[in-house]
Amino acid sequence: MYGRQRGPALRFRVFGTPVRIGLGFPITIVGVPLLLFGEHGRDPWFLSAWLLLVTVSVLVHEAGHVTALRAYGFSPAVSLNVFGGLTTTANPGRLPAFRSILVSLA
């Protein structure tokens, strides 16, 4: 389903949409403040808040794509990985160009 993804991951559903958070996502997200914010970036409370804020932000962003795909009859899934978020679908078929652009903009 939705391509074969390897490695350890946290899997759950949000409003019926499968979500997968790969191990690379939190490692990358926590690495940013460690590199950019110096001593302040090493504070466990700051890192926890940063990780939560970025994760929720990426999930809200991906929710736009999920909503648009559902409107066109697709069953999307979300994956958070080293490069950020990715919304995919297992449904065969392609969207017409205009609808594909709308999904991208959503």
Side-chain angles (χ1 to χ4, degrees):
M1 180 168 112
Y2 307 104
R4 194 76 172 132
Q5 306 217 356
R6 298 174 190 227
L10 175 64
R11 290 171 169 43
F12 55 94
R13 289 182 172 269
V14 177
F15 300 114
T17 301
V19 177
R20 177 190 182 277
I21 301 178
L23 184 59
F25 180 77
I27 290 172
T28 302
I29 298 308
V30 168
V32 170
L34 290 176
L35 293 173
L36 297 180
F37 300 122
E39 198 60 39
H40 185 65
R42 289 175 175 74
D43 177 23
W45 291 107
F46 179 81
L47 286 176
S48 298
W50 174 266
L51 181 60
L52 180 65
L53 177 69
V54 172
T55 301
V56 169
S57 297
V58 173
L59 287 173
V60 168
H61 170 87
E62 295 303 319
H65 303 306
V66 167
T67 302
L69 283 167
R70 282 191 176 170
Y72 296 128
F74 286 82
S75 298
V78 173
S79 176
L80 304 185
N81 54 50
V82 173
F83 301 109
L86 177 66
T87 300
T88 58
T89 181
N91 299 65
R94 297 182 59 121
L95 283 171
F98 181 72
R99 287 185 175 185
S100 180
I101 290 169
L102 290 178
V103 168
S104 295
L105 292 174

